[in-house]
Amino acid sequence: MPTSSMQTGTASARALTWAAYISFVPIGIATVLLGPMLPALSARWSLNYAQAGALFNAQYLASTCAVALSGVLASKKGYRFPMKAGLLLMSAGLFLLLSGSRIVGIVCIGAYGAGLGLAVPPANLLVANVSPEGRSARLNLLNFFWSMGAVSCPFLVAAASRSQKIPMFLMGVGAFSLLIAAGIAIMPSHIAEPAAAKETGRMLPLIRANAGAFLVLGILFLIYVGTENAFGGWVASYSKSLGSLAPAIAVMTPSFFYASLMIGRWVAPAVLRMTGEIRLVQAGLLLACAGTTSLMFSHELTGIALSACAAGLGLSSVYPITIALLSTEFQSSRVGSIMFTLSNVGGGLLPWAVGVFSNRFGTIKAGLIVPLAGSLVMFTLYLRKWSRTAA
């Protein structure tokens, strides 16, 4: 390859990777927004635990439909098109979330959920495929930027709530998303996407040739996002239900979880130079089980914070490494679309299950069995002997 072509390819890879990184900050905020806002929305719309849990279904049902569409759009128009469309739709949902009745709010939750479904899979696949070297490290950094948004969200919601400026906060996040979409739209024409974005090969033969990995990865994608959402989405409500914390402090407790996710993803590239990705995930899932179990017996801020940090640190590398394994096992954006669709199904199903269990037994502690079981199942699946290794 000529030197000029190599330089252009390197510049394109860098620009595309950073576009994905920056877009994941508001995406991280929007993804976890329901958790810190759940107590306020429950009071505003008079929701019980099961009805509050159903809000996650609204977000992730819409997101699931959008994920299925994102794979088609990515294969036909490239990764950037669904990223831009998703950021625009996310902005619209955030702008109008508190503008009307409960029904309008649920529609807006669905709208920004659909935006997430359009934008997240192509951004992950873009970063995974822009260069084959260092895939796991780059995906951990991508999700580090997501965690930056997720960590800041509870603090921003708490601050906006105290000053009664929640609508202004939502509009600010929406405006940030619009700005990033505009930046992606005006990228120079010489910025070239990976050829894999335009793949046209048949999908079924590829799945049949590696059916075992497809099944295991499908279950992992289904369970992981649901487990993360079940813990992060309900820890604020759990903390508030204890009655021992001030409401503003309870709203901010998800930040302990998302901060440890962020730190874990930040240090993962260095850790991966000393150990294998499978071993890292296995150790992390055991730590996540310990953190979730500890939370169920915590009643004060110190115990809640330590438990949330343990669970977040344990889960931090699971998703990026699972995506890296997907990219090495299946070089197909349409297979990726199936996996991200499953992740969105789980993302709504497991937090809803927490609400159902909590409502049935009259305590959120009972619902926390759901993320604990999710971590245990994933640990069992990661005992599998993988045929390939993520780079």
Side-chain angles (χ1 to χ4, degrees):
M1 179 182 293
T3 302
S4 60
S5 298
M6 292 179 62
Q7 291 174 342
T8 300
T10 301
S12 294
R14 187 181 300 114
L16 292 169
T17 300
W18 276 100
Y21 285 169
I22 296 170
S23 72
F24 260 43
V25 176
I27 283 173
I29 294 174
T31 302
V32 308
L33 182 64
L34 268 183
M37 288 195 65
L38 199 59
L41 292 177
S42 296
R44 181 186 180 97
W45 295 332
S46 303
L47 306 176
N48 61 31
Y49 288 144
Q51 291 169 331
L55 296 180
F56 291 97
N57 278 341
Q59 175 178 339
Y60 282 91
L61 177 61
S63 186
T64 297
C65 297
V67 166
L69 178 60
S70 75
V72 176
L73 293 176
S75 63
K76 291 185 176 181
K77 295 181 175 291
Y79 294 120
R80 280 177 287 182
F81 182 84
M83 287 173 63
K84 290 182 292 185
L87 289 167
L88 291 172
L89 189 55
M90 190 175 80
S91 298
L94 293 173
F95 281 144
L96 301 173
L97 178 59
L98 299 180
S99 64
S101 66
R102 170 182 169 183
I103 298 300
V104 172
I106 292 172
V107 170
C108 289
I109 289 171
Y112 77 69
L116 293 169
L118 284 175
V120 170
N124 273 287
L125 293 173
L126 176 62
V127 171
N129 293 320
V130 74
S131 177
E133 296 81 16
R135 193 175 274 138
S136 289
R138 285 198 312 276
L139 285 165
N140 270 285
L141 287 175
L142 175 67
N143 285 277
F144 166 78
F145 280 87
W146 180 92
S147 298
M148 288 176 61
V151 169
S152 65
C153 182
F155 289 104
L156 294 172
V157 169
S161 180
R162 284 196 299 269
S163 59
Q164 298 183 336
K165 292 181 179 178
I166 288 287
M168 184 178 297
F169 159 68
L170 295 174
M171 291 186 69
V173 179
F176 187 21
S177 302
L178 279 176
L179 184 63
I180 295 169
I184 294 173
I186 63 174
M187 276 186 166
S189 58
H190 68 264
I191 301 296
E193 295 185 6
K198 309 293 194 297
E199 54 96 7
T200 58
R202 298 184 65 183
M203 182 172 59
L204 286 179
L206 183 62
I207 294 174
R208 288 170 182 159
N210 204 1
F214 180 83
L215 178 62
V216 172
L217 285 167
I219 298 172
L220 286 169
F221 272 87
L222 177 71
I223 293 176
Y224 175 79
V225 174
T227 299
E228 182 183 298
N229 288 349
F231 193 105
W234 280 99
V235 66
S237 296
Y238 172 74
S239 301
K240 185 178 180 182
S241 72
L242 296 174
S244 57
L245 302 180
I249 299 297
V251 167
M252 290 189 290
T253 52
S255 287
F256 294 110
F257 176 69
Y258 293 114
S260 59
L261 273 176
M262 179 178 68
I263 293 169
R265 287 165 179 169
W266 180 47
V267 302
V271 176
L272 286 169
R273 287 195 286 268
M274 297 181 287
T275 188
E277 53 274 291
I278 304 301
R279 185 171 296 178
L280 176 60
V281 169
Q282 290 170 345
L285 287 169
L286 289 176
L287 181 59
C289 290
T292 306
T293 302
S294 175
L295 180 67
M296 297 168 68
F297 295 96
S298 298
H299 300 282
E300 301 295 336
L301 180 60
T302 300
I304 293 169
L306 291 175
S307 300
C309 287
L313 187 62
L315 292 173
S316 60
S317 291
V318 178
Y319 195 52
I321 289 174
T322 303
I323 294 171
L325 287 170
L326 168 65
S327 186
T328 55
E329 297 281 350
F330 298 97
Q331 292 290 331
S332 169
S333 63
R334 283 174 291 174
V335 172
S337 178
I338 293 173
M339 296 301 173
F340 286 113
T341 299
L342 289 170
S343 75
N344 278 274
V345 171
L349 184 62
L350 270 65
W352 169 75
V354 173
V356 170
F357 273 72
S358 301
N359 209 55
R360 172 66 178 82
F361 294 99
T363 173
I364 300 177
K365 183 180 293 187
L368 293 175
I369 293 172
V370 173
L372 174 60
S375 296
L376 286 171
V377 171
M378 287 189 289
F379 174 78
T380 302
L381 291 174
Y382 257 100
L383 295 175
R384 176 185 190 269
K385 297 291 185 180
W386 295 91
S387 60
R388 307 177 194 179
T389 303

